[in-house]
Coordinates of all heavy atoms in Angstrom, one line a residue:
V1325 N 4.3 2.7 4.8 CA 5.0 3.7 4.0 C 4.2 4.0 2.8 O 3.6 3.1 2.2 CB 6.4 3.2 3.6 CG1 7.1 4.2 2.7 CG2 7.3 2.8 4.7
S1326 N 4.0 5.3 2.5 CA 3.2 5.7 1.4 C 4.0 6.4 0.4 O 5.0 7.1 0.7 CB 2.0 6.5 1.8 OG 2.5 7.8 2.4
S1327 N 3.6 6.3 -0.9 CA 4.2 7.1 -2.0 C 3.2 7.6 -2.9 O 2.3 6.8 -3.3 CB 5.2 6.1 -2.7 OG 5.7 6.7 -3.9
G1328 N 3.2 8.9 -3.2 CA 2.2 9.4 -4.1 C 0.8 9.5 -3.5 O -0.2 9.6 -4.3
V1329 N 0.7 9.4 -2.2 CA -0.6 9.5 -1.5 C -0.6 10.9 -0.8 O 0.2 11.1 0.1 CB -0.8 8.4 -0.5 CG1 -2.1 8.5 0.2 CG2 -0.7 7.0 -1.2
P1330 N -1.6 11.7 -1.2 CA -1.7 13.0 -0.5 C -2.0 12.9 1.0 O -2.8 12.2 1.4 CB -2.8 13.8 -1.3 CG -3.6 12.7 -1.9 CD -2.7 11.5 -2.1
R1331 N -1.2 13.7 1.8 CA -1.4 13.7 3.2 C -2.2 14.9 3.6 O -2.0 16.0 3.0 CB -0.1 13.6 3.9 CG 0.6 12.4 3.7 CD 2.0 12.4 4.4 NE 2.7 11.2 4.1 CZ 2.9 10.2 5.0 NH1 2.4 10.3 6.2 NH2 3.6 9.2 4.6
G1332 N -3.1 14.8 4.6 CA -3.7 15.9 5.1 C -5.0 16.4 4.3 O -5.6 17.3 4.7
D1333 N -5.3 15.8 3.2 CA -6.4 16.1 2.4 C -7.4 14.9 2.4 O -7.3 14.1 1.5 CB -6.0 16.5 1.0 CG -7.2 16.9 0.2 OD1 -8.3 17.0 0.7 OD2 -7.1 17.2 -1.0
G1334 N -8.2 14.9 3.4 CA -9.1 13.8 3.6 C -10.2 13.7 2.5 O -10.9 12.7 2.3
D1335 N -10.4 14.8 1.7 CA -11.4 14.8 0.6 C -10.9 14.1 -0.6 O -11.7 13.9 -1.6 CB -11.8 16.2 0.3 CG -12.6 16.8 1.5 OD1 -13.2 16.0 2.3 OD2 -12.5 18.0 1.7
T1336 N -9.6 13.9 -0.7 CA -9.0 13.2 -1.9 C -9.6 11.8 -2.1 O -9.6 11.0 -1.1 CB -7.5 13.2 -1.9 OG1 -7.0 14.5 -1.8 CG2 -6.9 12.5 -3.1
I1337 N -10.1 11.5 -3.3 CA -10.6 10.2 -3.5 C -9.5 9.3 -4.2 O -9.0 9.7 -5.2 CB -11.9 10.2 -4.4 CG1 -13.0 11.1 -3.8 CG2 -12.4 8.8 -4.7 CD1 -13.5 10.6 -2.5
L1338 N -9.3 8.2 -3.6 CA -8.3 7.3 -4.1 C -8.9 6.0 -4.7 O -10.0 5.7 -4.3 CB -7.3 6.8 -3.0 CG -6.6 8.0 -2.2 CD1 -5.9 7.5 -1.0 CD2 -5.7 8.7 -3.2
S1339 N -8.3 5.4 -5.7 CA -8.8 4.2 -6.3 C -7.8 3.1 -6.2 O -6.6 3.2 -6.6 CB -9.1 4.5 -7.8 OG -9.6 3.4 -8.5
L1340 N -8.2 2.0 -5.6 CA -7.4 0.8 -5.4 C -7.4 -0.1 -6.6 O -8.4 -0.5 -7.1 CB -7.9 0.1 -4.2 CG -7.1 -1.1 -3.7 CD1 -5.7 -0.8 -3.3 CD2 -7.8 -1.8 -2.5
L1341 N -6.2 -0.4 -7.1 CA -6.0 -1.2 -8.3 C -5.7 -2.6 -7.9 O -6.2 -3.6 -8.5 CB -4.9 -0.6 -9.2 CG -5.2 0.7 -9.8 CD1 -4.1 1.2 -10.7 CD2 -6.6 0.8 -10.5
S1342 N -4.8 -2.8 -6.9 CA -4.4 -4.2 -6.6 C -3.8 -4.3 -5.2 O -3.4 -3.3 -4.6 CB -3.4 -4.8 -7.6 OG -2.2 -4.1 -7.5
V1343 N -3.8 -5.5 -4.6 CA -3.2 -5.8 -3.3 C -2.3 -7.0 -3.6 O -2.8 -8.1 -4.1 CB -4.3 -6.1 -2.3 CG1 -3.6 -6.4 -0.9 CG2 -5.3 -5.0 -2.2
E1344 N -1.0 -6.9 -3.2 CA -0.1 -7.9 -3.5 C 0.8 -8.2 -2.3 O 1.0 -7.3 -1.4 CB 0.8 -7.6 -4.7 CG 0.1 -7.4 -6.0 CD 0.9 -6.9 -7.1 OE1 1.6 -5.9 -6.9 OE2 0.9 -7.5 -8.2
F1345 N 1.3 -9.4 -2.2 CA 2.2 -9.8 -1.0 C 3.5 -10.3 -1.6 O 3.6 -11.1 -2.5 CB 1.6 -10.9 -0.2 CG 2.4 -11.3 0.9 CD1 2.7 -10.5 2.0 CD2 3.0 -12.6 0.9 CE1 3.5 -10.9 3.1 CE2 3.8 -13.0 2.0 CZ 4.0 -12.2 3.1
S1346 N 4.6 -9.7 -1.0 CA 6.0 -10.2 -1.3 C 6.6 -10.7 0.0 O 6.8 -9.9 0.9 CB 6.8 -9.0 -1.9 OG 6.2 -8.5 -3.0
E1347 N 7.0 -11.9 0.0 CA 7.6 -12.5 1.2 C 9.0 -12.0 1.3 O 9.7 -12.0 0.3 CB 7.5 -14.0 1.2 CG 7.8 -14.7 2.5 CD 7.5 -16.2 2.4 OE1 8.3 -16.9 1.8 OE2 6.5 -16.6 2.9
T1348 N 9.5 -11.6 2.5 CA 10.9 -11.2 2.7 C 11.6 -12.2 3.5 O 12.6 -12.8 3.0 CB 10.9 -9.8 3.3 OG1 10.2 -9.8 4.6 CG2 10.4 -8.7 2.4
D1349 N 11.2 -12.5 4.7 CA 11.8 -13.5 5.6 C 10.6 -14.3 6.2 O 10.1 -13.9 7.2 CB 12.6 -12.8 6.7 CG 13.4 -13.7 7.5 OD1 13.6 -14.9 7.2 OD2 13.8 -13.3 8.6
A1350 N 10.3 -15.4 5.6 CA 9.0 -16.1 5.9 C 8.8 -16.2 7.4 O 9.8 -16.5 8.2 CB 9.1 -17.5 5.3
P1351 N 7.6 -15.9 7.9 CA 6.4 -15.6 7.2 C 6.3 -14.1 6.9 O 5.2 -13.7 6.4 CB 5.3 -16.1 8.1 CG 5.8 -15.9 9.5 CD 7.3 -16.2 9.3
S1352 N 7.3 -13.3 7.3 CA 7.2 -11.8 7.1 C 7.2 -11.4 5.7 O 7.7 -12.2 4.8 CB 8.3 -11.2 7.9 OG 8.3 -11.4 9.2
G1353 N 6.8 -10.2 5.4 CA 6.8 -9.7 4.1 C 6.2 -8.3 4.0 O 6.1 -7.6 5.0
Q1354 N 5.8 -8.0 2.7 CA 5.3 -6.6 2.5 C 4.0 -6.8 1.7 O 3.9 -7.5 0.7 CB 6.2 -5.8 1.7 CG 7.5 -5.5 2.4 CD 8.5 -4.7 1.6 OE1 8.5 -4.8 0.4 NE2 9.4 -4.0 2.3
V1355 N 2.9 -6.1 2.2 CA 1.7 -6.0 1.4 C 1.7 -4.7 0.7 O 1.9 -3.6 1.4 CB 0.5 -6.1 2.4 CG1 -0.8 -5.9 1.6 CG2 0.4 -7.5 3.1
T1356 N 1.5 -4.7 -0.6 CA 1.5 -3.4 -1.4 C 0.1 -3.2 -1.9 O -0.4 -4.1 -2.6 CB 2.5 -3.5 -2.5 OG1 3.8 -3.8 -2.0 CG2 2.6 -2.2 -3.3
L1357 N -0.4 -2.0 -1.6 CA -1.7 -1.6 -2.1 C -1.3 -0.6 -3.2 O -0.8 0.5 -3.0 CB -2.5 -0.9 -1.0 CG -2.8 -1.7 0.2 CD1 -3.4 -0.8 1.3 CD2 -3.6 -2.9 -0.1

């Protein structure tokens, strides 16, 4: 799922700030970029 990420414009340059993991139902969870 994306939020605030432009779709269809492959020329847009994005900058990654962090990668985090939140466990929901071990070992499952969510990785947030």
Side-chain angles (χ1 to χ4, degrees):
V1325 177
S1326 66
S1327 172
V1329 178
R1331 294 177 184 255
D1333 183 5
D1335 294 331
T1336 299
I1337 302 298
L1338 303 171
S1339 179
L1340 183 58
L1341 298 179
S1342 66
V1343 182
E1344 298 172 309
F1345 178 70
S1346 301
E1347 194 171 75
T1348 54
D1349 185 18
S1352 299
Q1354 297 176 331
V1355 174
T1356 303
L1357 306 171

